[in-house]
Amino acid sequence: MNGGTSSPAYFPASRPWTEAGGMVRLHGSKCARCGVVAFPPHPMCPSCGAERGQHVVELSGVGTLYTFSEIHIAPKGFATPYAVGYVDLPEGVRLFGQIDAKASELKIGQQVAVTLGPVRADTGGAVISYKFKALAEGNAKGIA
Amino acid sequence: MTLAVIAGAGMTKFGKQAERTIEDIGREALIAAMKDAGVDRAGIDEVLCGSSYGGPLIGQRILRDLGMTGIPITNVENACSSGAAALREACWAVKAGRADVVAVLGVEKLTKLGGGTLPLEPTDVEVNLGNVMPAVYAMRARRYMHETGATARHLAMIAVKAHEYGARNPNAQFQNRITIDDVMASRMVADPLTLYMCCPTGDGAAAVIVTSEKRARELGAKTVRVEASVLQSGLYKTGFRDMASSELTERTSRLAYEAAGIGPQDVSLAEVHDAFASAEIMYYEALGLCHKGEGAAMIERGDSGPGGRQPVNPSGGLACRGHPVGATGVAQIVEAVWQLRGEAGERQVPGAKVALTHCTGGGISGLDHGACSVHVLTS
């Protein structure tokens, strides 16, 4: 990836997200023909097969934790243990990602927010990507 | 509909064999299967070789030193289903009349990878973010437990049962008995999966000789019939997918039951893809061996263990026989052949008439699994 030390590396390199007001909104693609939303943005619709008409849309910054785990054995570059999970967004997209929390603090069904941060170390330093952070109860909409 | 028969079976002991070459490991299994079938080098028309990490021309590299060259050799890669997918090609090659006698080999040497979780493809989005195979299964397990009330103790019971069978299998990587407390106290790999709930990495090979009923009679071989050989791939879903059940295994096994003209109740024993203890429980349901949500009850009742209604993984399964990825699908068939011939020794399922083998795997984001294969064999 990025061999230099001055600028961080990102995954995906295209940085499919927008940061505004402390909120991170991932970019997905929405098919003009069937309406299916996919992440990361797809050049073709993986649902109906449409070859064009995939429009970039901003996805919700908050989703519901479908399931999770805490990984204790991982490939080089990942600092164990780390929590991971699948997060369901209202647009019908399910995202895999790391969660800034301990597994013992997490519950299926809770709200989590999209954030950015280091997910692993590469030869050139930290790799920044999207990940999740737990939201306090009753604070599902209040992004710090 | 009988596709073909298995006229010979053989395998190496599974386990860490770092001092041997993969070619040597493969040859041992192939020679054992050929001797079992009573077929010599000149009697093999084609070879199918399943391997996931064996590298280019794995089949040719194994066969060269046996002088078995010049014939069609096809190498098949389909992750954990590599060996089973190779068998499917062999069955249909015989059924279609393209070949009379086909040798199927599954072979892998995982010690060369140096341990840890299996390396996955760096182009995959989830792999880049730190997903590993144990976590894939752990997240499914947690959701399954959330929806059904199954507990980590049930997962531990699966591991204990696997070791009870492993202790009866001289080819198994693990042949020791363990307790529920041992499983619960073993170190965490991916919460809620502890070490003893995870299959090991190891080396090994398995082989079978596939032919027609007519040719098997000429050879004087003991035969087992292949009544179904089905391969499917996972469906890509960008959105929500029920991770507390396996659509892919349900679909593949349904097609296999239809092809064989049987139902789950007819299965005497099953070899299923218990890469992790939670998966075995979920596959009881997906294969129809019990009702939805009753997987934990099935292990609690002892239905899938020694003396049970439908023993599952009498070989010890991936958990104890071991899981040299590409070899597993063929090793399951070898176990099924021995069970159906009444040659499984201490782990013999009494009166076994119908065996089902199920191999599924491949970590690829958005899919249940990359590939799933189900075979139905009868005595």
Side-chain angles (χ1 to χ4, degrees), chain B residues 105-310:
Chain B
L105 185 60
V107 61
E108 208 76 77
K109 184 177 175 184
L110 297 179
T111 51
K112 75 168 186 181
L113 301 173
T117 58
L118 287 176
L120 301 174
E121 280 304 308
T123 53
D124 190 277
V125 62
E126 294 187 3
V127 171
N128 268 281
L129 298 175
N131 207 0
V132 290
M133 287 313 291
V136 169
Y137 283 88
M139 289 188 284
R140 290 175 189 177
R142 187 178 304 280
R143 187 71 201 188
Y144 176 82
M145 290 157 74
H146 173 77
E147 292 188 10
T148 63
T151 65
R153 219 177 152 74
H154 290 117
L155 308 188
M157 292 169 82
I158 293 284
V160 169
K161 189 265 292 173
H163 281 72
E164 175 55 44
Y165 273 132
R168 302 170 185 217
N169 183 357
N171 288 317
Q173 181 161 355
F174 295 142
Q175 298 180 29
N176 60 313
R177 291 179 171 85
I178 58 171
T179 66
I180 286 180
D181 289 344
D182 293 334
V183 183
M184 300 297 277
S186 64
R187 72 191 164 108
M188 192 59 81
V189 173
D191 190 21
L193 301 176
T194 65
L195 185 64
Y196 292 171
M197 298 176 191
C198 307
C199 69
T201 59
D203 313 319
V208 293
I209 306 301
V210 180
T211 186
S212 62
E213 283 183 299
K214 178 170 169 287
R215 183 78 183 107
R217 269 196 304 274
E218 291 165 7
L219 289 168
K222 291 178 277 190
T223 58
V224 159
R225 288 196 298 270
V226 183
E227 298 291 350
S229 177
V230 177
L231 174 73
Q232 295 278 289
S233 64
L235 293 171
Y236 179 40
K237 291 218 171 152
T238 58
F240 306 158
R241 179 160 56 85
D242 179 10
M243 293 186 178
S245 67
S246 174
E247 182 277 333
L248 175 57
T249 291
E250 286 172 12
R251 172 161 41 97
T252 312
S253 60
R254 188 180 65 244
L255 293 170
Y257 289 135
E258 282 170 14
I262 64 160
Q265 71 283 355
D266 300 313
V267 171
S268 317
L269 68 108
E271 284 282 314
V272 314
H273 200 83
D274 62 323
F276 298 87
S278 49
E280 180 170 318
I281 292 189
M282 291 168 66
Y283 295 145
Y284 292 163
E285 299 178 17
L287 295 168
L289 302 177
C290 68
H291 294 297
K292 283 256 179 190
E294 291 183 5
M298 183 159 174
I299 184 69
E300 237 173 34
R301 285 194 302 261
D303 287 351
S304 55
R309 176 171 55 87
Q310 285 178 305

Side-chain angles (χ1 to χ4, degrees), chain A residues 1 11-12 36-40 42 46 65-75 78 82 84-86 88-89 92-94 96-98 103 108-109 119-120 129-130, chain B residues 116-117 122-132 134-136 138-143 146-147 187-192 195 236 238-244 365-366:
Chain A
M1 278 213 166
F11 179 82
V36 160
V37 180
F39 177 87
H42 284 45
L65 188 59
Y66 177 77
T67 186
F68 62 93
S69 179
E70 189 172 84
I71 296 176
H72 292 255
I73 297 177
F78 293 93
Y82 56 97
V84 296
Y86 282 109
D88 290 348
L89 299 183
V93 170
R94 178 170 292 165
F96 170 85
Q98 294 184 20
I108 284 176
V119 292
R120 60 185 158 90
S129 190
Y130 56 92
Chain B
T117 58
T123 53
D124 190 277
V125 62
E126 294 187 3
V127 171
N128 268 281
L129 298 175
N131 207 0
V132 290
V136 169
M139 289 188 284
R140 290 175 189 177
R142 187 178 304 280
R143 187 71 201 188
H146 173 77
E147 292 188 10
R187 72 191 164 108
M188 192 59 81
V189 173
D191 190 21
L195 185 64
Y236 179 40
T238 58
F240 306 158
R241 179 160 56 85
D242 179 10
M243 293 186 178
S365 61

Side-chain angles (χ1 to χ4, degrees), chain A residues 50-120:
Chain A
E51 291 182 29
R52 53 189 69 217
Q54 307 307 303
H55 302 295
V56 173
V57 290
E58 275 194 352
L59 304 176
S60 299
V62 175
T64 307
L65 188 59
Y66 177 77
T67 186
F68 62 93
S69 179
E70 189 172 84
I71 296 176
H72 292 255
I73 297 177
K76 201 168 162 246
F78 293 93
T80 55
Y82 56 97
V84 296
Y86 282 109
V87 174
D88 290 348
L89 299 183
E91 291 81 7
V93 170
R94 178 170 292 165
L95 298 168
F96 170 85
Q98 294 184 20
I99 309 170
D100 286 334
K102 287 181 180 151
S104 57
E105 298 164 352
L106 296 172
K107 273 199 177 68
I108 284 176
Q110 79 174 77
Q111 300 292 293
V112 297
V114 182
T115 183
L116 296 175
V119 292
R120 60 185 158 90

